[in-house]
Amino acid sequence: MTDQSQAYVEKGKEFTRDMNYIPDRILVGESSADPLDDTFPSGSKDSPRDVQVWPVEPGRYRLVAAKACPWANRSIIVRSLLGLEDVISLGLPGPTHDKRSWTFDLDPGGVDPVLGYERLQQAYFSRFPDYPRGITVPAIVDVPTNGVVTNDFPQITHDLFFEWRDHHRPGAPNLWPDDLREEMESVMKRVFTEVNNGVYRCGFAGSQESYDAAYDRLWTAMDWLEERLTDRRYLMGDAITEADVRLFTTLARFDPVYQGHFKCNRNKLVEMPALWGYARDLFQTPGFGETIDFDQIKQHYYVVHTDVNPSGIVPKGPDLSGWTSPHGREKL
């Protein structure tokens, strides 16, 4: 039997995330509906503008997003907050994968019922037969051709808001407020580099020196967030924005995975009053908590990262019952 495990730690080196994704965009017009799109590009590689553009068409696309993955979890949350469930269908791969691909092992017969695929890899290869990079989630797939459109995770959630507005539910939140945009972009950049990616920089460090540096960077940012959230309910004030979605998916995984598995162990999330209250507040908000599956999250990290956890043993803890306890942040 061929070993399908994947190495994540490069000995002697710090972890660097490959941010090269398929940059195609689904737009409602010839150019982005975001008036600040050129000022604040949202894609993984600064949103190159000379990309293939796909039309907004309800029912045409399928979002493939594993609940286990924090980057994919973002898109599931935004799809729910905006009420796009009947407009863009959702395919859910299982929590574990090998070095080839995420698989649809949660579906009957192990096959996605819309795409007819066993592996997400098939959608990538349908469009790019020699696709050279990792098969990542989230990915948007064009159902008529069964080929991948994009896997550019920061661009996907941005465009779900700006390009699909005609299909948002009544009262959908304004996740990208114009008057807060400049500050929000700065906050999101720091959250991504220091926290979302910072936990991985710790967990996949290939030397003591790179781990120590990553650890210090992470906790500097966590302390900054704790202070910021002490006197404001959400990152940008009194309303939920895209910035909150991006931070939440890391916080939800912090104690179950990152604190131990990734050695981010100065303290637990539950020991940081503002961040823990904030995380519970979001978890109890419709669109957030129901997208979190702690069992799948733990299965993914502890089983897939064989070079970090060679035994493959999934811990029984921690106690997660506190996520539904009162948070008291309505008063902020």
Side-chain angles (χ1 to χ4, degrees), residues 106-282:
L106 300 180
D107 291 307
V111 175
D112 180 90
V114 172
L115 302 175
Y117 289 152
E118 295 178 353
R119 290 177 171 272
L120 179 57
Q121 183 185 55
Q122 293 168 268
Y124 280 69
F125 286 175
S126 176
R127 185 169 172 212
F128 303 108
D130 299 317
Y131 188 74
R133 299 185 181 280
I135 307 300
T136 63
V137 290
I140 292 184
V141 179
D142 179 43
V143 175
T145 62
N146 274 15
V148 67
V149 173
T150 180
N151 63 342
D152 194 342
F153 66 90
Q155 193 69 69
I156 286 173
T157 53
H158 170 280
D159 288 350
L160 287 178
F161 178 77
F162 284 101
E163 308 302 327
W164 294 83
R165 271 179 160 168
D166 290 345
H167 307 285
H168 291 181
R169 66 173 175 82
N174 180 5
L175 298 178
W176 296 79
D178 289 346
D179 59 330
L180 299 175
R181 187 69 178 276
E182 185 171 359
E183 183 187 3
M184 190 175 90
E185 293 282 353
S186 176
V187 168
M188 291 194 301
K189 182 176 181 180
R190 188 171 182 183
V191 166
F192 170 69
T193 59
E194 306 304 300
V195 181
N196 298 149
N197 200 42
V199 292
Y200 284 87
R201 201 181 292 113
C202 290
F204 293 157
S207 70
Q208 187 68 50
E209 292 75 18
S210 62
Y211 165 74
D212 289 347
Y215 179 97
D216 291 343
R217 284 178 63 179
L218 169 67
W219 285 107
T220 296
M222 290 289 280
D223 287 340
W224 162 68
L225 288 167
E226 177 72 8
E227 181 179 359
R228 184 178 181 91
L229 289 164
T230 296
D231 58 0
R232 67 180 80 195
R233 186 171 183 182
Y234 305 113
L235 280 175
M236 302 310 302
D238 59 2
I240 290 169
T241 65
E242 170 86 9
D244 298 299
V245 176
R246 295 184 177 197
L247 178 56
F248 173 77
T249 59
T250 295
L251 297 183
R253 289 158 177 78
F254 201 88
D255 287 0
V257 175
Y258 302 144
Q259 200 269 343
H261 180 61
F262 276 178
K263 307 179 183 69
C264 304
N265 62 349
R266 190 192 75 179
N267 53 260
K268 297 176 181 178
L269 176 67
V270 298
E271 296 165 347
M272 303 186 78
L275 271 170
W276 176 224
Y278 164 82
R280 300 199 319 276
D281 188 1
L282 290 175

Side-chain angles (χ1 to χ4, degrees), residues 17 21 63-80 90-94 102 120 124 135-140 151-154 156-157 160 200 242 245-246 248-250 253 258 287 291-292 296-297 300-301:
R17 182 172 299 280
Y21 294 92
L63 173 64
V64 179
K67 286 187 173 183
C69 170
W71 318 105
N73 195 175
R74 292 182 182 184
S75 62
I76 301 173
I77 292 171
V78 170
R79 173 179 174 270
S80 177
L90 178 64
L92 295 169
W102 294 85
L120 179 57
Y124 280 69
I135 307 300
T136 63
V137 290
I140 292 184
N151 63 342
D152 194 342
F153 66 90
I156 286 173
T157 53
L160 287 178
Y200 284 87
E242 170 86 9
V245 176
R246 295 184 177 197
F248 173 77
T249 59
T250 295
R253 289 158 177 78
Y258 302 144
T291 74
I292 299 297
Q296 286 196 38
I297 287 169
H300 171 66
Y301 286 91

